[in-house]
Amino acid sequence: MISDNAKKQIDSWIAKYPQGKQSSAVMEALKVVQAENNNQLNHDLIQAVADYLDMPGIAAAEVATFYENYNHKPVGKHIIRFCHNISCMLTGADDLISHLETKLGVKTGEVTKDGLISVKKVECLGACVGAPMFQIGDQYYENLTTDKVDEIVDGLK
Ligand code: FES
């Protein structure tokens, strides 16, 4: 269930922790396995990660369901993680999210018909000074306006 390539990547994370503490690599292991499975996790994959790390399945499931990084239903090629926490909310995130939903024809949590984009509302991403902001992949986009949102989204392929 976990590919040799994924095991190799997970092993490199395990090596960063003291012997016997391989479960500390659970977040990265889940990320690696998710990336190889259409950016999505399910019960069997989470259990496979737990087994590989020799930890209880429930402990891996707790991590996989607590953090926004993990997807449990289909997502788009690009996931827009829109912060709607206090600083972003006070600087217009809700209006921008509504604008984005209208532009894409989806609600948060849904995927565009072409499978290109999905939108998630997330809690503070630690970039409050650049509020309102969202994240796509590893990139943060800050001080968003409707024009900036349009420009960024129109550039996604
Ligand atoms: S509240 Fe949005 S990044 Fe902190």
Side-chain angles (χ1 to χ4, degrees):
M1 178 150 287
I2 300 178
S3 73
D4 289 343
N5 179 49
K7 285 178 181 173
K8 199 171 159 190
Q9 292 180 65
I10 294 169
D11 288 346
S12 75
W13 284 102
I14 290 172
K16 297 177 190 291
Y17 297 98
Q19 198 162 16
K21 301 290 184 188
Q22 67 279 356
S23 63
S24 298
V26 64
M27 289 188 73
E28 288 300 329
L30 289 167
K31 193 173 157 186
V32 166
V33 171
Q34 177 174 262
E36 284 202 344
N37 289 278
N38 293 322
N39 212 6
Q40 196 178 338
L41 291 173
N42 59 37
H43 174 270
D44 290 345
L45 290 170
I46 294 168
Q47 186 61 52
V49 168
D51 291 344
Y52 193 71
L53 297 176
D54 194 23
M55 65 190 290
I58 186 66
E62 285 169 352
V63 172
T65 55
F66 179 80
Y67 293 101
E68 287 290 342
N69 314 40
Y70 307 109
N71 307 309
H72 303 279
K73 58 183 189 178
V75 290
K77 178 181 175 189
H78 303 286
I79 304 169
I80 299 177
R81 300 179 194 280
F82 217 125
C83 175
H84 72 132
N85 213 296
I86 190 72
S87 298
C88 290
M89 182 191 71
L90 292 174
T91 51
D94 288 341
D95 288 344
L96 290 174
I97 291 169
S98 294
H99 171 76
L100 187 57
E101 288 176 334
T102 302
K103 179 180 176 64
L104 297 175
V106 296
K107 293 289 182 193
T108 52
E110 296 177 348
V111 187
T112 54
K113 282 194 180 94
D114 59 5
L116 187 65
I117 299 170
S118 53
V119 183
K120 273 187 167 186
K121 281 186 190 176
V122 299
E123 301 303 329
C124 182
L125 290 168
C128 312
V129 71
M133 62 80 64
F134 61 50
Q135 177 185 17
I136 304 173
D138 293 331
Q139 177 83 39
Y140 276 16
Y141 299 88
E142 302 178 357
N143 302 304
L144 294 172
T145 62
T146 52
D147 286 347
K148 271 191 175 179
V149 167
D150 288 347
E151 187 184 331
I152 295 161
V153 171
D154 290 344
L156 295 174
K157 295 175 181 157

